[in-house]
Amino acid sequence: MKIASVVSALITSLAPMAFAQDVVKEPGREIPTEEYHYGMQLDIDKVLHRTDNSEKVGMVPAYLVYLDHDGAPHRVRFLEWGGKASHA
């Protein structure tokens, strides 16, 4: 049980470095990727895309692309557990 906690903490701490340069390009502009942190306030009016991790196993990166109430696009990256159970 402790090993899983250590691995999870390690993955969480290294993930921002691995994806630091992610940018979504939209016609005429670029949308930088923001790293989600606990308690972060998101002004979501309309969700445009969310990563489907239902077939992945373990801790995996996920992305949420949305429009805020002013119509500005945002992209947030976070980690989540995949939806598929591993068979050990």
Side-chain angles (χ1 to χ4, degrees), residues 15-25 30-33 35 63 75 77:
M17 290 183 285
F19 302 103
Q21 300 301 318
D22 281 353
V23 174
V24 173
K25 292 187 179 186
E30 293 182 348
I31 306 169
T33 300
E35 292 295 329
Y63 298 88
R75 184 176 192 224
R77 180 181 38 249

Side-chain angles (χ1 to χ4, degrees), residues 15-76:
M17 290 183 285
F19 302 103
Q21 300 301 318
D22 281 353
V23 174
V24 173
K25 292 187 179 186
E26 196 175 82
R29 62 180 152 177
E30 293 182 348
I31 306 169
T33 300
E34 302 172 66
E35 292 295 329
Y36 179 80
H37 61 271
Y38 182 76
M40 184 175 177
Q41 297 293 313
L42 302 176
D43 176 20
I44 300 174
D45 185 43
K46 181 178 181 181
V47 173
L48 302 176
H49 173 76
R50 187 191 185 291
T51 305
D52 178 13
N53 286 325
S54 61
E55 293 298 316
K56 296 187 180 168
V57 176
M59 186 69 73
V60 293
Y63 298 88
L64 177 67
V65 180
Y66 65 93
L67 297 177
D68 65 19
H69 285 85
D70 292 328
H74 298 269
R75 184 176 192 224
V76 177

